[in-house]
C-alpha cells in the first residue's frame, strides 16, 4: 500500500511545533517537487483533533479563511478526506489524480434463474466479479505525514 516501506512515497516527520506546521511542511515538500497538493487524507480521530484545535486563548482555531476551515473541510488549501482505513497519527497529502485502476483478473458474470423460488417472486439473480488494484503512476506526488506528537 501507499504507507508500506518501499512504496516510493516520501515521508514527512512530525514537527514539534504541531500538526498544522507539519502539514504545511508536507505541502511545501510537494510544491518543491512541482506538485500542487489537492487532498489530505486523515483518520476520523485525526480529523476530529484537527477540528477541535484551540489557539493560545482556548478559542477554536478552525475558522473561515484560516489555515483550516471546518465548514469547507479543508486544510492548507487541500480538501480533507476522512478514511477509517488510515491509522491515527498518519496523514497522506498530495495529488491523487495519478491513481489508476488495474484489473488483475477478467470480469466474470453469472446469471441464475431458479425455477422454483425465482418464478414465484419474479426474480433473476445476476453477479459480476473481478479483481482490481489501485496503482499510483507518480508516487512523488504523495507524502506520508507523521502527525502524532
Amino acid at each position: 500500500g501507499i504507507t508500506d516501506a518501499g512504496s516510493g512515497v516520501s515521508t514527512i516527520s512530525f514537527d514539534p511545533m504541531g500538526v498544522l506546521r507539519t502539514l504545511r511542511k508536507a505541502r511545501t515538500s510537494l510544491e518543491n517537487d512541482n506538485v500542487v497538493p489537492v487532498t489530505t487524507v486523515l483518520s476520523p480521530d485525526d480529523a476530529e483533533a484537527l477540528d477541535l484545535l484551540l489557539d493560545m486563548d482556548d478559542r477554536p482555531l478552525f475558522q473561515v479563511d484560516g489555515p483550516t476551515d471546518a465548514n469547507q473541510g479543508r486544510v492548507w488549501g487541500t480538501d480533507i478526506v476522512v478514511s477509517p482505513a488510515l491509522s491515527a497519527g498518519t496523514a497522506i497529502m498530495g495529488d491523487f489524480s495519478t491513481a489508476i485502476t488495474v484489473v488483475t483478473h477478467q470480469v466474470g458474470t453469472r446469471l441464475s434463474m431458479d425455477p422454483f423460488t425465482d418464478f414465484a417472486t419474479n426474480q433473476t439473480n445476476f453477479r459480476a466479479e473481478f479483481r482490481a488494484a489501485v496503482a499510483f503512476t507518480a508516487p512523488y506526488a504523495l507524502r506520508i505525514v507523521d502527525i502524532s506528537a
Side-chain angles (χ1 to χ4, degrees):
I2 296 172
T3 58
D4 295 341
S7 67
V9 178
S10 298
T11 59
I12 303 296
S13 300
F14 181 76
D15 187 304
M17 295 298 289
V19 173
L20 285 177
R21 188 174 175 123
T22 304
L23 290 170
R24 185 60 180 103
K25 287 183 174 284
R27 181 178 178 89
T28 301
S29 174
L30 287 160
E31 291 169 338
N32 284 333
D33 281 344
N34 294 316
V35 175
V36 177
V38 177
T39 306
T40 300
V41 183
L42 299 169
S43 73
D45 291 335
D46 290 333
E48 176 188 40
L50 198 62
D51 286 347
L52 299 177
L53 281 176
L54 301 174
D55 68 9
M56 297 290 208
D57 296 321
D58 287 336
R59 295 176 301 203
L61 192 58
F62 245 87
Q63 56 190 341
V64 176
D65 297 329
T68 58
D69 187 344
N71 295 329
Q72 298 296 319
R74 296 176 64 78
V75 61
W76 293 120
T78 65
D79 293 326
I80 295 174
V81 173
V82 178
S83 172
L86 194 61
S87 58
T90 301
I92 303 172
M93 180 185 280
D95 180 3
F96 287 82
S97 69
T98 63
I100 60 171
T101 303
V102 180
V103 177
T104 59
H105 288 81
Q106 205 170 20
V107 176
T109 58
R110 296 177 193 258
L111 183 65
S112 170
M113 297 186 324
D114 184 342
F116 300 105
T117 58
D118 292 346
F119 182 76
T121 58
N122 197 24
Q123 290 182 345
T124 301
N125 295 308
F126 176 81
R127 181 186 339 187
E129 295 179 336
F130 70 97
R131 292 184 187 173
V134 175
F136 288 88
T137 59
Y140 66 86
L142 300 174
R143 294 295 183 274
I144 300 167
V145 189
D146 177 5
I147 55 172
S148 59

